[in-house]
Structures are given as structure tokens and as C-alpha cells.
């Protein structure tokens, strides 16, 4: 398989995954209420991430539109991270340091997600600037 064929295959897989997640967020695919752990707009943003990633695979690396898609992708990731940072239930943040209390681990997790959100939004701002300036390296 050539590299272009690989991009096309990955693109279609991402578009299909994104469409499935968006359809789930829109209520077109029924999911039991107890299995939903985030607001529908967060689930929709997750679908958008896959969808935009698939479109980026089709656009090619030299397309100026990829800068716009990268900005959208980073904005969606940033919004998801911001929701986790500020609004997700503490019990949904798992892992951490074994000898620390769950509340401390949840606070550390929120700080880490918050830091990642800032980095992601910063990268998105750079991508948007590249799109608006018309530069593509």
C-alpha cells in the first residue's frame, strides 16, 4: 500500500468513527443513559475530532486548509480538556499516585488536564494564525 492509500484508509476510518460518535451525541444511535458520562456537546466534540482528523488526511500535508482544520481540532481538544478540568466529576478522574488520597489525585488530574488544555489551545492559536496569514511550511 502506498502512503497516499494509507492516508485515504485512515481518513475514511476517522470519518466513519466521527460520524458514529456524532450520531450517538445527536441521539440517532440509542445509548443507555447510565453509559453516558459527559454532556452531549462534549461527546459531539469527540466526534468532531475524529471527523476533522479524517478530513485532514484527505486534504494532504501541503494544503493551507490543514492549518484551519488543525485549529478546529485543537479547539475541540481544548474544550474537551477544559470540561474535564472544571466540570467532570472527581470520581471520573482515576489513576494517580497510590499513597495519595483520591481527592488529591483528582486535583492533580485536573491540573494536568488544565495544563494540557492551555498547550492545546496555544497550538490551535498558532494554527489559526498560519491559516489567516496564508502560510504553510
Amino acid at each position: 500500500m502506498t502512503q497516499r492509500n494509507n492516508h485515504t484508509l485512515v481518513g475514511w476510518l476517522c470519518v466513519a468513527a466521527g460520524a458514529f460518535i456524532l450520531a450517538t451525541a445527536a441521539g440517532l444511535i440509542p445509548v443507555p443513559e447510565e453509559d453516558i458520562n459527559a454532556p452531549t456537546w462534549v461527546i459531539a466534540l469527540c466526534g468532531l475530532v475524529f471527523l476533522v482528523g479524517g478530513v485532514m488526511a484527505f486534504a494532504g500535508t501541503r494544503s493551507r486548509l490543514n492549518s484551519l482544520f488543525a485549529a478546529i481540532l485543537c479547539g475541540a481538544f481544548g474544550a474537551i480538556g477544559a470540561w474535564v478540568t472544571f466540570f467532570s466529576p472527581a470520581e471520573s478522574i482515576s489513576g494517580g499516585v497510590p499513597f495519595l488520597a483520591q481527592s488529591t489525585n483528582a486535583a492533580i488530574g485536573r491540573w494536568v488536564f488544565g495544563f494540557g488544555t492551555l498547550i492545546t489551545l496555544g497550538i490551535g492559536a498558532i494554527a489559526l494564525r498560519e491559516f489567516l496569514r496564508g502560510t504553510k511550511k
Side-chain angles (χ1 to χ4, degrees), residues 11-119:
W12 281 116
L13 289 173
C14 287
V15 166
F20 179 80
I21 296 169
L22 283 169
T24 301
L28 300 174
I29 298 173
V31 176
E33 261 319 295
E34 61 272 5
D35 291 343
I36 298 175
N37 298 314
T40 53
W41 66 268
V42 173
I43 297 168
L45 284 177
C46 293
L48 181 69
V49 165
F50 278 97
L51 192 68
V52 170
V55 171
M56 288 177 77
F58 295 135
T61 58
R62 302 213 186 276
S63 172
R64 179 175 167 230
L65 281 177
N66 261 355
S67 293
L68 176 62
F69 294 142
I72 294 168
L73 189 73
C74 289
F77 269 127
I80 294 165
W83 178 80
V84 172
T85 300
F86 295 112
F87 302 111
S88 70
E91 55 274 358
S92 68
I93 300 175
S94 60
V97 182
F99 55 84
L100 294 178
Q102 170 58 23
S103 60
T104 304
N105 279 323
I108 292 169
R110 290 186 191 282
W111 277 98
V112 170
F113 266 96
F115 185 67
T117 296
L118 292 176
I119 291 171

